[in-house]
Amino acid sequence: MTLNIGVIGTGAIGRDHIRRCSKVLQGARVVAVNDINRDNAAKVVSDLQLDARVYDNGHDLIKAADVQAVLVTSWGPSHEEFVLAAIAAGKPVFCEKPLAVTAQGCKNIVDAEAKHGKRLVQVGFMRPYDQGYRALKQVLTSGQIGEPLMLHCAHRNPTVGEAYTTDMAITDTLIHEIDVLRWLLDDDYVSVQVVFPRKSPKAFPHLKDPQIVLFETAKGTRIDVEIFVNCQYGYDIQCEVVGETGIAKLPEPSSVQMRSGARLSTEILTDWKDRFIDAYDVELQGFINDVAAGKLTGPSAWDGYAAAVTADACVAAQLSGEIVPVTLPARPAFYGK
Ligand code: NAD
Ligand code: NAI
Ligand code: ISE
């Protein structure tokens, strides 16, 4: 069976996901595309030589009879509306992070999905599909370094555009760590504080960059995450776990070591598309397979909600400078353990 997919949002990641659904993955094809900028959508169809119809709005695409599943890759503030419409149409939907830009928006989705009675939503949190994070989790669960006591993490982008604002460091960037560290540690956050170091002159005047986010978890683990989105030198994701008896570090992406010009060097990637390319393939193939099997198993709307509750607390902590509690309601039975 081939799954007919409709894609809303044909920007950077929308185009990349369309490419992988059309050229890399098995069991799916893109039959419909939409973007608020129609030329963007039409260009993807011609560039990739797709047999796909361009829709003038996302809601018509969702309702189209030949669209069996929906990919939402438009910008964050539009996600909630499209995911709710897909649920109303009873169609499985893969939504890029964030599921919605506020916790209330995610709660609306969780409530609609529960009312529908069956999981229809997968959120594009791809890091738990990354081989490096999986290997790190394996080390932690094997007990080789004892219980985790502290984590030192960094999320660095070379540059960001002028539209990127201080709160997006949380809702767009840190949201990946918020999700993956909860999964890695099998723990929940209880409080957060944000501190602002000296500002980089490379950032636009309205943006506070870098930032340091300090979490405490229910088990008492302390986490510091540096977010630095104008670091200039590369796309760099770091995660070091300090345990009772040792230290475990996220592996670097593999790269050829060079001796040249009196230097020993390895390459650092510069684009998020390359850093997690395999993880994106695995997460989306998982979605396609799960839709065919009739049961979604990837990151759920509840995971999207849990991340958004934490993100709301982080944004409040940015504004107040105080330590802000993170309070997550108990997970409903609908979403499993
Ligand atoms: P982008 O700005 O390049 O592309 C977004 C596209 O969506 C644009 O073409 C825009 O015109 C379109 N769009 C916006 N609102 C729309 C609407 N209401 N209906 C239809 N189209 C709409 O952004 P991007 O980098 O591709 O990011 C898109 C989403 O993917 C974001 O939510 C982002 O957080 C997420 N993302 C996730 C990852 C990841 O690592 N998982 C990486 C990049 C982006
Ligand atoms: P982008 O800006 O390149 O693309 C966004 C696209 O959405 C644009 O083409 C825009 O025209 C379109 N769009 C916006 N509003 C729309 C609407 N109402 N209807 C239809 N189209 C609309 O952004 P990018 O980088 O592709 O990010 C898109 C989403 O993907 C974001 O939510 C972002 O957070 C997420 N993302 C996820 C990544 C990941 O690693 N999982 C990496 C990068 C982005
Ligand atoms: C982008 O949307 C992503 O998801 C990238 O993974 C992240 O590094 C970047 O900061 C976001 O803007």
Side-chain angles (χ1 to χ4, degrees), residues 116 139 158 202 219 235 271 275 278 294 302 331:
H116 174 79
V139 168
K202 301 286 185 193
K219 293 178 190 165
Y235 184 79
D271 192 335
R275 174 63 180 84
D278 295 333
W302 184 260
R331 182 196 294 260

Side-chain angles (χ1 to χ4, degrees), residues 7-17 33-38 40-41 55-59 72-79 81-82 94-99 101 123-127 155 168 171-173 175-176 235 271-273 276 280 283:
V7 180
I8 302 176
T10 54
I13 201 159
R15 285 192 295 271
D16 208 38
H17 283 342
V33 293
N34 157 258
D35 196 292
I36 204 163
N37 173 350
R38 198 178 199 282
N40 258 357
Y55 283 78
D56 283 330
N57 82 70
H59 292 280
V72 178
T73 49
S74 49
W75 73 311
S78 65
H79 291 181
E81 146 192 12
F82 294 129
F94 176 99
C95 179
E96 263 308 334
K97 41 61 60 174
L99 178 58
V101 286
V123 184
F125 286 133
M126 74 298 177
R127 289 200 193 171
H155 187 151
M168 285 173 73
T171 57
D172 213 51
T173 299
I175 198 92
H176 284 296
Y235 184 79
D271 192 335
W272 48 260
K273 286 195 204 79
F276 289 109
Y280 294 126
E283 68 165 356

Side-chain angles (χ1 to χ4, degrees), residues 21-39:
C21 287
S22 311
K23 314 275 179 204
V24 181
L25 308 181
Q26 304 292 313
R29 68 179 157 228
V30 175
V31 297
V33 293
N34 157 258
D35 196 292
I36 204 163
N37 173 350
R38 198 178 199 282
D39 292 346

Side-chain angles (χ1 to χ4, degrees), residues 108-232:
N108 297 341
I109 291 170
V110 161
D111 291 345
E113 191 179 41
K115 194 162 164 222
H116 174 79
K118 186 179 169 203
R119 270 197 61 188
L120 285 176
V121 180
Q122 176 171 331
V123 184
F125 286 133
M126 74 298 177
R127 289 200 193 171
Y129 294 93
D130 173 66
Q131 274 196 7
Y133 274 107
R134 295 187 85 84
L136 185 57
K137 186 167 173 74
Q138 175 81 36
V139 168
L140 296 189
T141 46
S142 71
Q144 287 176 75
I145 63 162
E147 293 296 329
L149 307 175
M150 293 177 278
L151 271 70
H152 307 301
C153 308
H155 187 151
R156 304 191 186 111
N157 292 191
T159 54
V160 290
E162 196 163 5
Y164 188 102
T165 49
T166 296
D167 58 325
M168 285 173 73
I170 306 294
T171 57
D172 213 51
T173 299
L174 180 77
I175 198 92
H176 284 296
E177 271 78 16
I178 292 176
D179 176 69
V180 77
L181 300 181
R182 192 171 148 263
W183 166 84
L184 184 71
L185 297 175
D186 196 18
D187 203 351
D188 275 316
Y189 307 109
V190 293
S191 73
V192 64
Q193 184 180 17
V194 180
V195 294
F196 296 102
R198 182 176 171 185
K199 180 174 147 42
S200 164
K202 301 286 185 193
F204 282 106
H206 65 267
L207 177 63
K208 291 186 178 171
D209 185 46
Q211 307 182 21
I212 299 171
V213 181
L214 303 163
F215 289 108
E216 183 177 6
T217 73
K219 293 178 190 165
T221 303
R222 292 283 182 167
I223 303 170
D224 56 88
V225 186
E226 169 202 316
I227 311 162
F228 187 13
V229 293
N230 289 280
C231 79
Q232 309 294 305

